[in-house]
Amino acid sequence: NAGVTQTPKFQVLKTGQSMTLQCAQDMNHEYMSWYRQDPGMGLRLIHYSVGAGITDQGEVPNGYNVSRSTTEDFPLRLLSAAPSQTSVYFCASSYRLAGYNEQFFGPGTRLTVL
Amino acid sequence: KQEVTQIPAALSVPEGENLVLNCSFTDSAIYNLQWFRQDPGKGLTSLLLIQSSQREQTSGRLNASLDKSSGRSTLYIAASQPGDSATYLCAVGGYQKVTFGIGTKLQVIP
């Protein structure tokens, strides 16, 4: 099992550019989520999905879109990048409800917006 | 809204010492509590998961306890080693949402 994979590992964008962060898992987990990690603020939930075709907003969803067309993939789209979106982004998955089951994390994507 | 606090924010100990990391949370209606380790520039590695019905979990030199009624969990590390140096995160699981603490940065000095 590869577990949770994320691409790219590093990315530099200019303000206003768009991009997609990729996340995939091969554990047949229903629940997937995206977090951002900023110094002194811990991990904050951006969006999550409880299954294919179902997504919902987390704590900090503005400026981000997600979709879940398959169980395996959960891409995160930045529509128009802003410097405030400079952060480390983590994708996570769990069997079902994230609060009830063990979460597994990807290695992260370090994003810098100039 | 669930709030998770980890104390201390940073800790430096000599090798071989036993140590305790603390995590407190404000809402006791939780499903589970998970302890993670994060090395600099890396992702999160799960260490221990305690379900709400459990009091503690052990893995090797690590022992985590949970007291839901008081909103507290502790991570006990026995006989610390330089390889234990990392940031340790506490994550509290509620319905469809997990709330993280900011972490305790641990340095074990040889």
Side-chain angles (χ1 to χ4, degrees):
Chain A
N1 279 351
V4 181
T5 58
Q6 292 183 239
T7 57
K9 285 187 168 52
F10 301 93
Q11 183 70 48
V12 178
L13 293 178
K14 294 181 179 178
T15 296
Q17 287 185 316
S18 63
M19 78 160 294
T20 299
L21 307 185
Q22 301 291 344
C23 174
Q25 53 90 11
D26 60 359
M27 297 174 281
N28 202 31
H29 285 169
E30 293 185 2
Y31 185 101
M32 296 184 74
S33 54
W34 277 101
Y35 294 88
R36 59 178 289 173
Q37 185 178 37
D38 301 291
M41 299 192 72
L43 278 83
R44 292 181 291 169
L45 183 64
I46 304 171
H47 285 286
Y48 65 94
S49 169
V50 298
I54 306 170
T55 64
D56 206 345
Q57 296 181 351
E59 185 182 357
V60 288
N62 292 341
Y64 308 94
N65 271 359
V66 292
S67 60
R68 184 97 178 267
S69 57
T70 66
T71 300
E72 295 78 19
D73 300 299
F74 190 43
L76 177 72
R77 296 182 189 84
L78 279 70
L79 309 172
S80 177
S84 61
Q85 293 178 305
T86 293
S87 186
V88 182
Y89 292 85
F90 289 101
C91 178
S93 74
S94 63
Y95 179 54
R96 281 185 182 169
L97 295 176
Y100 191 74
N101 295 277
E102 185 176 11
Q103 281 204 103
F104 296 86
F105 280 78
T109 294
R110 293 184 173 273
L111 175 67
T112 301
V113 182
L114 303 175
Chain B
K1 178 184 174 184
Q2 180 73 271
E3 293 181 2
V4 179
T5 302
Q6 291 189 246
I7 295 173
L11 183 63
S12 184
V13 301
E15 181 178 3
E17 198 163 291
N18 301 326
L19 55 98
V20 174
L21 307 182
N22 296 293
C23 171
S24 62
F25 47 95
T26 55
D27 186 352
S28 62
I30 68 171
Y31 288 132
N32 67 26
L33 188 143
Q34 194 168 357
W35 282 93
F36 291 90
R37 169 188 173 134
Q38 186 174 28
D39 294 287
K42 302 293 185 183
L44 280 69
T45 300
S46 178
L47 297 174
L48 290 165
L49 173 72
I50 311 176
Q51 298 291 358
S52 62
S53 59
Q54 298 174 319
R55 296 284 292 183
E56 65 178 340
Q57 282 286 336
T58 298
S59 176
R61 294 183 294 109
L62 305 179
N63 175 277
S65 67
L66 174 64
D67 184 343
K68 263 184 32 174
S69 61
S70 66
R72 292 183 182 182
S73 175
T74 60
L75 178 66
Y76 175 82
I77 303 177
S80 59
Q81 302 170 357
D84 295 330
S85 297
T87 296
Y88 291 80
L89 298 169
C90 165
V92 176
Y95 182 70
Q96 294 206 39
K97 186 182 176 188
V98 177
T99 304
F100 285 81
I102 295 176
T104 294
K105 186 173 184 178
L106 172 65
Q107 182 182 22
V108 181
I109 302 168

